[in-house]
Amino acid sequence: MSATTQTRYDVAIIGAGPAGMAAAVEVTKAGLSAIVLDEQPAPGGQIYRGIETNDDKRTKILGPDYAAGRDIAKAFRESRAEYLPGATVWNIDSALGIDVSLGNGSKHIQAGAIVVATGAIERPTPMPGWTLPGVTTAGALQILLKANGVVSDDVVFVGSGPLLSLIAAQMLKAGVKPRAIVETVPRSRYLAALKHVPAALGASSYLMKGMAMMLSLRRAGVPIYRDATAIRIEGAGKAEAVTFTSGGTSHRLETTSVALHQGIVPNQQVTRLLRCEHEWNKSQHCFVPKVDESFETTMADVYVAGDGAGIGGAVAAKLRGRLVGLRIAEKAGRGNAQERRSVTDALMREAKIRPLLETLYAPSPEILAPADETLVCRCEEVTAGDIRKAVDLGAPGPNQVKSFLRSGMGPCQGRMCGLAVSEIIASRRGEPISEIGYYRIRPPLKPLLLSELAALESEEAVPADLADESAAVH
């Protein structure tokens, strides 16, 4: 592994999480040149953040699944892939040219193939009070623990999904007891999920891990309120309490720290920018890019590895990265069919747990249909009611609502509100969300200084879309 010295590569990989690292190892083993572009200062992605620097004490708190990332990072470091940390991809053109912000300038890279390994983001959770200071995502608390060893006090977790129990159990190991877990899973979901238990036994390690986490929370006396509805976060200028109904009783928990979570969804900004086709995944309740059995998109030589192709977890992300790497090597005449079959079989075994999880932890109906006064687009302060009014005035989809209200035009470029906006429009129009679609994503993908744009080596390197739309630069 060495610092970047060239501008053309056989493969450019965006993201250095498990999928990106695994893909880099495979393509370089096949003798292909590769560069890995990553926003973070060190490899690991969100799942293995800090994996190279955390001491044994913190690694033990985070558990053996986290510790497994050390071997992946080590193999990546020993590979021949060039690694460019602190690099933010802000544009990709149809010829697979990539523009990257390095903080003090931009660089243009040309790739023969692109692997999008940008992972997932937490599903937006619009509800009363979710924008108050003191309210974060659950994943943000875990990042604080992984990156800095910081554990928040008196946290109330709100939502659904195994990540809530995982982080709460990790906090217990770190010596801090969460205030409570307010779980939104309706009781009827447990019955609906039962039919998937036999298949899930094929990935029994996940079931055992979940039972161990729940047991540790019960032994520590962490209150768990189930089937919670009518959730509100109260406070004058900051979070002060969570109110909700559970078991037919109204509750009010005073706290200054609230962590929200309703699962994760693919980060689809790059594939949307490239105009790859996407489809609605009913089971995961989100859009995913269309891919073939080797995770190649509808755009030739553009692959999606990891959770960006649909949520599968860290182990699946690594396997998908390997599979993509092996497929690219095969197309270059350096394939290993037996290894591809082996990885594919492992990936199929890993997927056995998904139907159970996706049935049980589907998103809460309340966040899919937020009240009119609830903010949905935090960047531009657009409420659910504003979006419904725009639909009533004739806006048929997200891009027209964007024109009416500027939703999705803030620094996050719609990452935080896009799915919620599509849900609200679909509900208001009474049409399938697959027909409503998603924002049309344009460069820059992330905020970009004009000085960086000006520092590009030649005018030819300026993307046509951006040259025509100066307003797109934030």
Side-chain angles (χ1 to χ4, degrees), residues 238-361:
K238 63 179 182 179
E240 296 174 359
V242 179
T243 64
F244 57 96
T245 299
S246 174
T249 304
S250 297
H251 300 269
R252 186 176 190 278
L253 305 179
E254 292 188 2
T255 181
T256 58
S257 180
V258 182
L260 305 177
H261 183 73
Q262 290 283 343
I264 58 176
V265 295
N267 182 357
Q268 54 182 312
Q269 299 297 98
V270 170
T271 47
R272 290 280 182 185
L273 176 67
L274 284 168
R275 307 294 179 249
C276 300
E277 293 182 31
H278 291 68
E279 59 189 352
W280 180 251
N281 185 313
K282 187 176 180 181
S283 181
Q284 297 194 348
H285 211 92
C286 59
F287 288 104
V288 298
K290 284 185 178 178
V291 294
D292 65 13
E293 67 278 4
S294 298
F295 296 95
E296 187 171 9
T297 68
T298 52
M299 184 172 178
D301 298 317
V302 175
Y303 299 79
V304 183
D307 281 342
I311 306 306
V315 175
K318 177 188 172 184
L319 293 169
R320 290 175 179 179
R322 289 192 63 198
L323 197 59
V324 166
L326 290 166
R327 174 58 180 155
I328 293 173
E330 182 181 68
K331 288 178 75 173
R334 305 169 195 185
N336 185 329
Q338 184 176 353
E339 194 166 359
R340 278 193 69 201
R341 283 195 296 272
S342 174
V343 174
T344 300
D345 290 345
L347 195 53
M348 291 176 66
R349 290 193 295 274
E350 191 67 20
K352 291 181 181 297
I353 193 69
R354 296 309 308 177
L356 174 66
L357 296 179
E358 291 163 13
T359 301
L360 188 58
Y361 296 121

Side-chain angles (χ1 to χ4, degrees), residues 77-223:
R77 288 287 193 186
E78 292 174 350
S79 76
R80 293 177 51 250
E82 294 192 8
Y83 175 48
L84 194 57
T88 300
V89 172
W90 57 269
N91 185 44
I92 306 174
D93 61 44
S94 58
L96 306 190
I98 303 173
D99 295 304
V100 187
S101 168
L102 303 174
N104 57 355
S106 282
K107 183 179 180 66
H108 186 78
I109 291 170
Q110 189 64 46
I114 290 177
V115 179
V116 181
T118 50
I121 59 174
E122 288 190 272
R123 183 186 297 276
T125 54
M127 64 172 60
W130 76 305
T131 58
L132 286 170
V135 182
T136 67
T137 63
L141 294 189
Q142 194 184 46
I143 287 172
L144 284 174
L145 175 58
K146 289 176 178 175
N148 306 105
V150 174
V151 184
S152 300
D153 293 323
D154 201 36
V155 177
V156 174
F157 289 96
V158 178
S160 73
L163 188 64
L164 290 178
S165 300
L166 173 63
I167 300 174
Q170 290 172 339
M171 291 177 69
L172 283 176
K173 287 184 181 178
V176 177
K177 181 179 173 181
R179 175 86 164 80
I181 296 176
V182 179
E183 192 179 73
T184 59
V185 180
R187 295 189 187 282
S188 59
R189 292 257 188 87
Y190 289 91
L191 186 61
L194 271 180
K195 64 183 179 184
H196 299 299
V197 170
L201 293 175
S204 58
S205 61
Y206 288 101
L207 299 178
M208 299 298 291
K209 181 180 177 181
M211 291 172 64
M213 289 189 304
M214 295 307 298
L215 185 60
S216 70
L217 295 172
R218 180 172 296 181
R219 283 175 174 168
V222 177

